[in-house]
Each structure stands twice: as C-alpha cells, then as structure tokens.
Amino acid sequence: MDKIAILFGPTGGNTEKAANLVARAFGEDKAVLIPVKNVQESDIMAFSRIIFGGPTVGTHTWSDPNQKNDWDVFLTRLYKMDLKGKSCAVFGLGDQVSYSFKFVDDVGTIADHVIQAGGKLVGSVDPEGYTFDESKAFRNGKFLGLPLDEDNEPELTQGRINKWVELLKTEL
Ligand SMILES: Cc1cc2nc3c(=O)[nH]c(=O)nc-3n(C[C@H](O)[C@H](O)[C@H](O)COP(=O)(O)O)c2cc1C
C-alpha cells in the first residue's frame, strides 16, 4: 500500500508534535511527514492519501493581510490543486477555553479548500468530550476532522489520535 502524506505546519510547536504522533500511530514506515512551508504541488501529487494538519491562530481565518503564516501561503494554492481521486483528512490544534467561539476554525477552512480542490474528505469526529460554543469545523453534528487541544487537554491528545487513526485505517 502506498504511503500516507502528512502535510503540517507550522514546525516547532504543537502542530508538529501532533503530526509526529499521527505518523507514529500509523507506523513510521507508513507515513511521510511534509512541512507545508514551501511544499510544491508536485510533492503532493504522488500521494493518493493525504492528511493535513494546522493550528487555528487567527491569521487567514481573521483575514489579516499583514500576517502570513505557513498556512496563509499554502491555502492560496491548495484550492487550485487537483485532489480528485485522493482521500484526505484534517486535524487541527486549537484552544477550547480562550477561543470557544472559534474553536479549531481552521479544520473547517482547510476542509473546505480540500473539497473545493476535489478531494474526498474522511475522518469526521463526534463532538463528545469537547466543550466549545462555535466552530467553523462543526457541521451537521460532527467535526470535519480531528480537534486537538494541547493548551487545555494535552493528556487527551494521544488517545484522540489513536482513535482517529483507527478510523482512518478504514476510511482513508
Ligand atoms: C494569536 C493566537 C490566536 C489563536 N486563535 C485561535 C482560534 O481562533 N481558535 C482556536 O481554537 N485556537 C486558537 N489559538 C490556539 C492555538 O491554535 C493553539 O495554541 C495551538 O496549539 C498552537 O499550535 P502551534 O504550537 O503549532 O502554533 C490561537 C493562538 C494564538 C497564539
């Protein structure tokens, strides 16, 4: 079976830590970790299964043209890519306490771009166990991907990833 690409950004923080845990849960030889910064479309096209991971940090979701993080840049290219025939999933870092009305909004933003690019989105997650008011990632009673909260519930991250990866082994 071909390898799974895990596209993540930024590096050096909670998102990279989570990306590594997702890769480990599949088995190191089954996944390839690719920082989203400077990634080329050709780097992605070789994969039929792609996992995207990013934090919500209020830049592109808040449309601040002066802030450009790795995802701001990549999102301007993602929706134009051809992801037809590719199976995709999204995880996102967020903070349920400080950003309860924007909890993991970027999971919704990234998922919308994946769908616009023709990708098949899998790996939606039940909201049980999360406490939040609103989220762009929450549609029809489910999160479009896996929310992770390293700020308030770091002890739940590994279990959430393990459960999600088991689901992805059947859906992705
Ligand atoms: C400036 C800033 C804005 C943030 N905005 C949100 C937000 O809108 N929604 C949310 O769920 N989390 C928000 N967070 C929390 C981050 O998503 C969270 O801390 C995440 O773990 C950071 O990941 P990183 O270490 O890879 O950057 C924000 C954090 C910062 C610093």
Side-chain angles (χ1 to χ4, degrees), residues 9-17 54-59 61-62 92-96 98-106 148-151:
T11 54
N14 294 329
T15 305
E16 181 165 21
K17 180 184 162 192
T56 301
V57 288
T59 54
T61 44
W62 294 352
L93 277 293
D95 175 341
Q96 294 160 96
S98 306
Y99 299 95
S100 183
F101 285 88
K102 290 175 174 290
F103 181 49
V104 292
D105 271 3
D106 276 17
L148 297 169
D149 186 344
E150 277 288 296
D151 296 302

Side-chain angles (χ1 to χ4, degrees), residues 95-105 125-139 141-143 147 149 153:
D95 175 341
Q96 294 160 96
V97 176
S98 306
Y99 299 95
S100 183
F101 285 88
K102 290 175 174 290
F103 181 49
V104 292
D105 271 3
V125 168
D126 283 326
E128 277 90 58
Y130 296 95
T131 307
F132 68 103
D133 288 295
E134 286 176 24
S135 172
K136 275 188 189 165
F138 195 60
R139 314 261 171 93
K142 283 204 157 196
F143 285 109
D149 186 344
E153 299 175 338

Side-chain angles (χ1 to χ4, degrees), residues 36-149:
V36 85
K37 195 179 182 130
N38 302 327
V39 74
Q40 300 300 318
E41 183 167 355
S42 54
D43 300 334
I44 301 170
M45 286 307 129
F47 297 91
S48 61
R49 298 179 295 162
I50 308 172
I51 297 174
F52 299 88
T56 301
V57 288
T59 54
H60 44 270
T61 44
W62 294 352
S63 302
D64 180 348
N66 299 315
Q67 298 283 331
K68 286 281 175 207
N69 69 18
D70 299 1
W71 275 101
D72 286 297
V73 176
F74 184 63
L75 282 178
T76 62
R77 309 198 334 250
L78 176 59
Y79 74 96
K80 293 183 220 155
M81 292 181 186
D82 183 8
L83 297 182
K84 276 185 216 81
K86 299 190 189 297
S87 197
C88 303
V90 183
F91 69 87
L93 277 293
D95 175 341
Q96 294 160 96
V97 176
S98 306
Y99 299 95
S100 183
F101 285 88
K102 290 175 174 290
F103 181 49
V104 292
D105 271 3
D106 276 17
V107 169
T109 303
I110 296 168
D112 286 340
H113 281 66
V114 165
I115 291 164
Q116 204 176 335
K120 180 182 160 220
L121 189 72
V122 301
S124 61
V125 168
D126 283 326
E128 277 90 58
Y130 296 95
T131 307
F132 68 103
D133 288 295
E134 286 176 24
S135 172
K136 275 188 189 165
F138 195 60
R139 314 261 171 93
N140 303 318
K142 283 204 157 196
F143 285 109
L144 295 176
L146 176 69
L148 297 169
D149 186 344

